[in-house]
Amino acid sequence: MGEFESVGATSSQTAAVSATRRGFLLLGLGLLVGCAKQTTRVLLPNPPWPALDLPPLVEPEVLPPRYEPPLDPGSLSPASPWRTTVLARGQWAQGEPVTTQMNRLSPVRYITVHHDGMDPFFDIGQRATAARIEAIRRAHRLRGWGDIGYHFVVDRAGRVWEGRSLRYQGAHVKNHNYANIGIVALGNFDRQQPSQAQLASMRQLVSLLMDRYHVPASQVSTHQEWAPTACPGRYLQQFMNTSRRRGRLG
Ligand SMILES: [Zn+2]
């Protein structure tokens, strides 16, 4: 299950930015006063900025200096296995992401595995699967989040679907979304077993992401390893425990 989305800079960052802006404003006022004292009118060049139309605090201020655009499944070369293994967000989503309500994703350090935790789900059809993912997105939007909270969805047939773009930080582990890729497997794994295809795809996806972002196995977690929750359900938890113990991830 997903949790928590907090957008924007921290209060200390905000204070620092505000102080800098006040500095610029005061400097600007000083220049205006200076101009007013002159007896000859001088046509000043246009300022380099069109107006004091400052961008929202959300993006530049929270970007770490080493930010690099992360992997975007849709932009890879045809040779990439991602092109065939990840179904684009447009294949299921009935609404656009609200990018002003999301932070940019920082360089990836963690991968976290979830279940959706709703009623058990056994359908392998593409249409029913798309509807299930859309239901999750709607529930997350009702919480005020900018999009579905997870970056990837693994369905009962073993398909992998794009969730929230990797350009944006997810909303899936309260207070630990920073630099953290969220993957959800469809179903409730306290009440049903994951399918074999689902487990195989989960393992492959986690391994690909570990390789792509240099994430060590020690930083691949399940939701309940971050916080007290039943997620990802006992059966998926067992699978993750066994996979890590046997070195099958990465
Ligand atoms: Zn979860």
Side-chain angles (χ1 to χ4, degrees):
M1 295 171 69
E3 279 189 53
F4 197 69
E5 180 140 62
S6 166
V7 172
T10 63
S11 56
S12 62
Q13 285 172 310
T14 309
V17 169
S18 301
T20 310
R21 286 187 182 153
R22 273 199 301 278
F24 280 123
L25 284 172
L26 288 173
L27 179 63
L29 286 172
L31 289 172
L32 285 174
V33 171
C35 292
K37 284 180 181 168
Q38 292 176 359
T39 50
T40 355
R41 288 187 63 195
V42 177
L43 283 178
L44 293 171
N46 287 330
W49 56 90
L52 272 181
D53 183 18
L54 296 168
L57 280 177
V58 178
E59 291 197 358
E61 282 79 7
V62 297
L63 288 184
R66 284 176 48 252
Y67 177 78
E68 294 169 32
L71 174 66
D72 177 0
S75 68
L76 295 176
S77 74
S80 165
W82 286 89
R83 181 167 285 276
T84 50
T85 56
V86 180
L87 288 160
R89 186 184 178 285
Q91 297 285 306
W92 61 269
Q94 300 297 311
E96 293 299 315
V98 183
T99 55
T100 53
Q101 293 183 25
M102 300 187 286
N103 288 316
R104 300 302 292 258
L105 180 65
S106 305
V108 173
R109 294 173 57 195
Y110 306 100
I111 297 167
T112 302
V113 170
H114 304 258
H115 70 166
D116 70 34
M118 304 190 297
D119 288 337
F121 181 69
F122 297 94
D123 209 313
I124 59 169
Q126 191 152 335
R127 184 174 300 207
T129 299
R132 178 88 163 192
I133 306 171
E134 171 63 9
I136 298 170
R137 185 193 70 86
R138 284 174 188 268
H140 288 184
R141 288 285 294 120
L142 285 174
R143 296 186 188 190
W145 302 350
D147 196 4
I148 187 170
Y150 313 105
H151 295 101
F152 294 98
V153 181
V154 180
D155 74 14
R156 296 288 297 177
R159 299 182 200 91
V160 178
W161 303 66
E162 181 187 24
R164 178 179 299 212
S165 165
L166 280 173
R167 292 190 176 90
Y168 297 98
Q169 180 173 292
H172 55 101
V173 186
K174 188 174 182 179
N175 297 331
H176 296 286
N177 289 306
Y178 180 81
N180 193 348
I181 292 182
I183 306 173
V184 65
L186 295 186
N188 184 326
F189 305 120
D190 272 332
R191 298 167 60 189
Q192 68 182 123
Q193 291 278 356
S195 71
Q196 287 304 309
Q198 198 166 26
L199 293 178
S201 285
M202 177 63 82
R203 181 183 288 155
Q204 185 186 30
L205 175 62
V206 169
S207 297
L208 276 167
L209 292 169
M210 289 170 69
D211 185 49
R212 175 67 172 77
Y213 294 110
H214 311 294
V215 177
S218 60
Q219 287 167 211
V220 176
S221 308
T222 64
H223 193 174
Q224 65 181 242
E225 291 163 357
W226 285 106
T229 170
C231 182
R234 55 187 156 154
Y235 299 119
L236 186 51
Q237 182 67 43
Q238 280 168 11
F239 171 78
M240 292 301 294
N241 291 346
T242 306
S243 297
R244 276 182 300 206
R245 197 165 55 239
R246 296 182 182 171
R248 287 183 180 170
L249 295 178

